[in-house]
Amino acid sequence: MQRLRALGRFGLFVFLYWLVGEGLNRLLPLIHFPDRAFTWNAILANEFLDFALAAFVAAILALIFRERFSSYGLPLHADVGRLMLKGALWGFVPSLLILIPLFAVGACSFHGLAVHGGQLIFYAIVWAAGMLGVGFAEEFLFRGYAQKTLAEAISFWPAAIFLSALFGFIHFFFKPQEDWIDPTSVALYGIFWCLTLRRTGSLWFAIGFHAASDYADIIVFGEPNTGNQGQPVPGHLLDIRYHGPDWLTGGPRGTEASLLVFVVLGGLFYFFNRAYPAKKLDASAAER
């Protein structure tokens, strides 16, 4: 019976998120809210709105079912900043490392800064805020309330696999020019972020990782993105040009669609498991 109730709460969250979202889709154009374009202001506004929508629905359900909102992956404690910074470091470094073999074989080349002076500082800041919005929105939607309630119904890892696969399918069906590599790597990243949730006890590490990884790929290294017609987004920081084969560079999809991403993911799972072993989590959970 408890599993059925948890499944019902999961379904109710999905329904209310869709219902309120559809209402907003009709309301926002009337007040000239930014469209979902790949510009800093559109990303910043829409991603934080998506997070606010998911958090609002979760907060309402928390009141109805007498649960703590913090149990959905966002507990407020002294380690929040440290976990986010650690996650950001873990997210940025792999994006940097994947470029090394590309430079080594001549699949990309560096041509200096793409923007200069005040524009460099401006775009570095506003895009960082926008990518932080992406981290909050996508992590809480897929690994916050949904993960908690579905895990209570079918257990943690089946829920993680289902939601991560859904995360990948959404990228495949709603972004143009996709192939099998990009949604597969996105789904595996989703499972990795579930692992970080499991081992750290919160989403803070995953949010920092997700934001920094997207920031590094799309903004710092100026990788193309199919959401922007296979071109780098306006305001990217470095002028790096990608001209190797698609299987190596990812082509218009960026390096998350490179076959090298699976080597990176393997390293992430291995080293994170070493840095955050399961026994330590069990011990800390027992203390709480």
Side-chain angles (χ1 to χ4, degrees):
M1 184 60 70
Q2 288 183 340
R3 289 178 179 269
L4 287 176
R5 288 174 181 169
L7 193 60
R9 296 202 311 276
F10 168 78
L12 186 57
F13 172 78
V14 172
F15 173 73
L16 290 176
Y17 179 83
W18 170 82
L19 183 66
V20 179
E22 284 296 300
L24 288 174
N25 287 338
R26 288 165 171 76
L27 173 64
L28 294 178
L30 301 178
I31 60 174
H32 305 291
F33 197 81
D35 294 332
R36 289 187 178 273
F38 258 66
T39 59
W40 71 265
N41 56 321
I43 293 287
L44 181 63
N46 283 285
E47 294 297 336
F48 274 108
L49 178 63
D50 285 347
F51 169 66
L53 171 58
F56 171 75
V57 173
I60 295 298
L61 294 177
L63 287 174
I64 293 173
F65 296 108
R66 299 180 181 180
E67 293 184 320
R68 291 177 294 109
F69 181 85
S70 60
S71 68
Y72 309 141
L74 297 179
L76 296 177
H77 49 67
D79 286 341
V80 169
R82 181 178 60 84
L83 280 171
M84 288 188 71
L85 285 173
K86 281 188 174 182
L89 180 63
W90 278 73
F92 192 93
V93 169
S95 295
L96 175 62
L97 292 178
I98 202 171
L99 292 183
I100 294 175
L102 299 187
F103 278 112
V105 300
C108 65
S109 54
F110 176 63
H111 299 271
L113 295 173
V115 288
H116 300 82
Q119 278 195 324
L120 178 67
I121 298 171
F122 174 78
Y123 282 121
I125 293 172
V126 296
W127 271 119
M131 292 300 122
L132 186 62
V134 174
F136 268 98
E138 295 190 352
E139 289 309 307
F140 188 76
L141 179 59
F142 286 92
R143 284 163 281 279
Y145 189 92
Q147 172 66 28
K148 179 181 182 294
T149 52
L150 193 58
E152 290 173 358
I154 62 175
S155 75
F156 185 89
W157 285 114
I161 292 169
F162 172 79
L163 291 170
S164 297
L166 179 63
F167 188 52
F169 278 125
I170 287 173
H171 279 70
F172 181 75
F173 287 110
F174 292 96
K175 288 182 70 177
Q177 305 179 57
E178 290 298 299
D179 63 3
W180 68 270
I181 302 175
D182 196 11
T184 303
S185 72
V186 166
L188 289 172
Y189 268 115
I191 293 174
F192 173 76
W193 290 322
C194 287
L195 177 64
T196 70
L197 168 63
R198 186 75 163 177
R199 296 290 173 85
T200 67
S202 74
L203 290 172
W204 299 117
F205 185 102
I207 290 169
F209 186 113
H210 196 148
S213 179
D214 284 353
Y215 185 72
D217 290 344
I218 300 172
I219 308 307
V220 177
F221 303 131
E223 296 180 10
N225 193 285
T226 54
N228 193 48
Q229 291 79 50
Q231 300 298 317
V233 301
H236 64 276
L237 306 184
L238 300 181
D239 184 7
I240 299 177
R241 302 173 193 177
Y242 301 84
H243 34 71
D246 285 5
W247 66 266
L248 185 59
T249 66
R253 294 163 290 276
T255 57
E256 71 178 19
S258 165
L259 285 177
L260 293 176
V261 76
F262 298 114
V263 178
V264 169
L265 279 160
L268 284 171
F269 276 101
Y270 174 78
F271 287 110
F272 185 83
N273 184 60
R274 293 289 300 271
Y276 291 86
K279 289 182 180 179
K280 287 187 178 181
L281 173 67
D282 294 342
S284 62
E287 290 173 2
R288 292 195 297 268

